[in-house]
Amino acid sequence: MKTIGLIGGMSWESTLSYYTLLNEGIKERLGGLHSAKVVLYSVDFAPIAQFQKEGKWEETAQIIKEAAISLERAGVDIILLCTNTMHKILPLVTPFIQTPFLHIAEATAHALNENGAKKSILLGTKFTMQETFYTDILNQHSIEIIIPDKNAIETINRIIFDELCIGKIETASRDSFIEIIHALKRQNDEIDSVILGCTEIGLLLNQESSHLPLFDTTLLHVKEALKYVLSEK
C-alpha cells in the first residue's frame, strides 16, 4: 500500500472527512485491521482565508509549497490538497516537488464522464465558481458548467466560510442551497447534475437533498486516491 500525503486544515472540518473516508475505504477493500497509510500536514486556515480575501495568492502558495515539500521529505507517494479553492495555486507549487498531486477537479471530471453528465451546476466558494482554474479542467472533459447568479454566489460563499468551515450546520442554509439548485434547474432543464465543489458542502447536502445527482468532490477525490494507493504501479 502506498502512502498518502494530505495537506489539510482548509478547513479541518472537511479534512476530518478525508481521514475518515480514506480509512473506511481501506477497511472496506482490504478488511481486517487494515487502515490507510497517511501523513497529514494541517495548516492554520485563518491567515490563508485572509490572504484569499486580499487576493494574495502567492502568499497562500508559499504556505502550501512548504507543506508539500514537508510531505515529500516524509516519503509520501501522492499528495492530496484537501480543498477545492486552493487548487488555484497548484501551478505555483508543483514545480518545486517531484511527488504527484491528485487534482480534485480531474477526479471530479472522471466521475462525471463515467456517469454521462454533460451539464452541471457548480457550487463552491466564489473563487471556485467565478474563476477559470477549476471550470477549465471540467470544460476540457466536455462538461458544461452552470454557476449561480451573483446574489446566490455571495450566499453560498457566506455559508461556507461563516458556517460550514466552523462546523455549523443550519437547516435554513441547506434550504438555501436546495432552492438555488431548483432555481437553476427551472431556468435550464438540460442541467443533469450538481458538483459540490467545496469540500465542506458535503457536510450540509447529500443525495437525499436533491432530485439531481450530486457529485461530492471530497468523496470523488478520496475514491481516486484509493485506486492509486492500492494499485501495483
Side-chain angles (χ1 to χ4, degrees), residues 143-206:
I143 301 159
E144 183 179 347
I145 296 302
I146 307 297
I147 63 170
D149 63 27
K150 184 177 179 180
N151 289 336
I153 287 173
E154 291 299 327
T155 296
I156 293 166
N157 198 70
R158 176 188 59 76
I159 291 170
I160 290 170
F161 282 98
D162 294 351
E163 297 176 17
L164 301 181
C165 284
I166 57 173
K168 290 177 63 178
I169 309 299
E170 302 285 353
T171 300
S173 296
R174 181 181 291 110
D175 292 342
S176 294
F177 270 73
I178 293 169
E179 176 51 36
I180 289 168
I181 292 170
H182 288 174
L184 288 169
K185 177 64 174 175
R186 288 193 295 268
Q187 294 167 18
N188 190 335
D189 192 53
E190 293 182 356
I191 291 172
D192 57 22
S193 51
V194 181
I195 300 168
L196 306 186
C198 172
T199 51
E200 282 82 15
I201 298 178
L203 303 173
L204 185 67
L205 298 180
N206 56 36

Side-chain angles (χ1 to χ4, degrees), residues 1 22-36:
M1 186 195 312
L22 285 167
N23 281 290
E24 287 177 346
I26 291 296
K27 181 180 179 181
E28 178 183 337
R29 287 158 176 78
L30 301 183
L33 296 176
H34 286 289
S35 55

